[in-house]
Amino acid sequence: MRAIRRRHSVPTVIATVSFVVALLVPSLAPASAQPPPVADLATSRPAAATSVVRFVNADTVNIRSGPSTSTTVVGQARRGTMLVGTVSGGWLRLEQTPYVGRYVSLSVLTTTRPPARRLWTGYANALVKETPASTARTLATWPAETALTGTLIHGWIQLTSGALSGRWVFGDYLTTTDPAVPLKPVSGTSPVAAPGTTVTRYVVAPNITPAIRAGTTFTSTIMARTTNGQAFTGTYVNSSWFRITSGTYAGRYLAAALLQRSASLSAVDGRLPSVQLCPLPSNLRTVWEPATTRYLQCSARDALLVLDRDFYAKFGVHLGIDEGYRDLAKQQYFYDLWGSPIAARPGTSNHGLGNAIDLYCPPPPGTSTQSPYSWGKPYDVWLKANALAHGWQRPAAYDKPGPGSEFWHINFVG
């Protein structure tokens, strides 16, 4: 695996267009348990001598029926997608099914291949394929947390080093987290001030409604809900609770993990100082990144451990946590892999604030009905009834099956 093999040059890629022609798809549908299919080469027009290779250089680009922005949009392609076609004015005329004869503006394309990334297999039995298709011949099977280097090209990683350079691994099975260094050091201090010191703090919690409570327990009455960006003046009772001292909710409490020094989400999301994060115990790990420590903001972690204690008392097993805090690099990988809305834009995710978890979903990714946490199963019913009394809550939009729903995602709301 460590033997170095020459990377494909662009001319080699052109000569082997059948090897990568599947990388153009008709929509932004995320990579799923079944990788994007390989296009039928029998229906593809043979590449002309003037064919060129280009890569999408924007989050999403439109594929049009003709070489004009006034023509109909017939599909889209995501960043990193390899396109093959001929240049016609300021447009690339495609030679790949299902878009033979359709057009993409050259202004959103580049000749530069997407950069190689350092990645690790998240699941055991990750398959190395001869071509980027689930039906392709398997060349190797790698254990979990095997290091590799490769380029993301629409849902697949093409390996760029080692004995299998040029071969493919399905992107859903990979992670940016180095199991030996699961939390990269980030300097900075906690926003928690000394008890009794009056300060102004801001709610930083996108897409959730944090609870304002009557007391400093998660079983105390929820007096109101607040929203992202709201400012509150008060004092810290301890590292877990903030007492509001002015305004409508004077004398009420917010969970400290939901507050930051400023309302700027981008300043902290995926960039939390290491001192704000605490590790989860190993008995909450799953088959995803099995040797990798997960982290949450410390008071959110403490609340989760109490939830896990009660869950264990009920079911005799611990909660299975696939994901906790994500740094920017990991969120960027998922965003590049799946696109929006499946993955939040980097710098806007509650995972990047250490206030969200993803419960266990067995591989292959997307087999949600096989998870013991899936909608309506005993674990799900219990969590729906009891999580809020521990400071955790699944967003209402995710609370039942449907497009965009995620039974596995739960936020810390205080």
Side-chain angles (χ1 to χ4, degrees):
M1 178 177 172
R2 293 297 177 186
I4 301 300
R5 179 178 174 179
R6 182 174 61 83
R7 287 181 59 174
H8 286 313
S9 64
V10 170
T12 305
V13 175
I14 294 172
T16 59
V17 64
S18 63
F19 191 56
V20 296
V21 71
L23 302 178
L24 179 64
V25 297
S27 71
L28 286 176
S32 64
Q34 294 300 316
V38 173
D40 181 0
L41 296 181
T43 64
S44 297
R45 182 165 58 84
T50 55
S51 294
V52 298
V53 171
R54 295 292 185 268
F55 298 91
V56 174
N57 193 36
D59 288 344
T60 61
V61 301
N62 291 326
I63 302 169
R64 294 186 176 272
S65 59
S68 168
T69 55
S70 63
T71 58
T72 304
V73 175
V74 296
Q76 291 182 311
R78 290 207 305 271
R79 184 181 295 277
T81 300
M82 178 184 286
L83 305 179
V84 179
T86 55
V87 174
S88 177
W91 295 81
L92 185 71
R93 189 176 190 275
L94 300 176
E95 298 175 343
Q96 295 152 286
T97 54
Y99 296 117
V100 173
R102 305 304 192 179
Y103 294 83
V104 176
S105 172
L106 290 173
S107 66
V108 292
L109 304 179
T110 179
T111 58
T112 304
R113 187 181 183 87
R117 306 172 190 239
R118 184 67 166 169
L119 298 166
W120 286 261
T121 52
Y123 290 117
N125 302 316
L127 305 179
V128 182
K129 293 287 188 175
E130 186 172 34
T131 63
S134 59
T135 55
R137 184 163 66 102
T138 297
L139 302 177
T141 302
W142 286 344
E145 292 161 323
T146 298
L148 58 99
T149 302
T151 300
L152 177 63
I153 303 179
H154 202 84
W156 291 82
I157 290 290
Q158 186 176 33
L159 302 175
T160 57
S161 65
L164 293 169
S165 179
R167 304 313 188 184
W168 302 82
V169 181
F170 188 36
D172 276 23
Y173 289 82
L174 304 177
T175 175
T176 63
T177 304
D178 180 351
V181 189
L183 184 65
K184 296 180 177 64
V186 176
S187 61
T189 59
S190 169
V192 175
T197 303
T198 299
V199 294
T200 298
R201 293 292 183 260
Y202 298 84
V203 174
V204 180
N207 305 313
I208 66 173
T209 53
I212 298 175
R213 292 191 180 264
T216 57
T217 67
F218 298 118
T219 55
S220 62
T221 303
I222 296 176
M223 307 303 296
R225 295 281 192 156
T226 186
T227 56
N228 186 54
Q230 292 296 306
F232 292 92
T233 298
T235 61
Y236 284 91
V237 178
N238 50 39
S239 61
S240 297
W241 291 98
F242 179 88
R243 184 176 186 270
I244 303 166
T245 57
S246 65
T248 304
Y249 301 110
R252 307 307 185 186
Y253 299 85
L254 279 163
L258 302 166
L259 301 172
Q260 298 292 338
R261 288 188 178 88
S262 81
S264 174
L265 178 61
S266 61
V268 291
D269 196 289
R271 302 177 174 88
L272 284 180
S274 304
V275 296
Q276 287 187 248
L277 296 164
C278 289
L280 293 177
S282 59
N283 58 14
L284 272 63
R285 295 178 195 166
T286 66
V287 296
W288 170 252
E289 300 181 340
T292 299
T293 302
R294 288 86 158 117
Y295 290 82
L296 289 171
Q297 278 210 56
C298 296
S299 57
R301 188 279 308 263
D302 294 345
L304 183 69
L305 294 183
V306 178
L307 177 64
D308 175 65
R309 179 200 66 192
D310 293 350
F311 183 86
Y312 186 87
K314 173 67 176 178
F315 295 106
V317 295
H318 291 283
L319 290 167
I321 309 300
D322 276 353
E323 290 279 329
Y325 173 72
R326 289 184 197 144
D327 63 16
L328 276 179
K330 192 171 195 178
Q331 191 65 35
Q332 184 71 58
Y333 175 70
F334 288 149
Y335 184 74
D336 292 344
L337 181 64
W338 296 318
S340 177
I342 300 301
R345 185 180 294 276
T348 67
S349 170
N350 283 299
H351 283 288
L353 296 167
N355 285 330
I357 58 169
D358 285 347
L359 296 165
Y360 168 62
C361 285
T367 56
S368 59
T369 58
Q370 301 305 310
S371 172
Y373 299 94
S374 187
W375 294 284
K377 293 188 176 182
Y379 292 177
D380 173 69
V381 172
W382 187 89
L383 286 167
K384 190 172 181 178
N386 293 279
L388 185 56
H390 297 78
W392 290 84
Q393 186 175 39
R394 186 164 59 202
Y398 296 172
D399 223 17
K400 60 182 178 181
S405 292
E406 298 180 4
F407 68 82
W408 56 86
H409 183 93
I410 302 179
N411 292 318
F412 179 67
V413 298

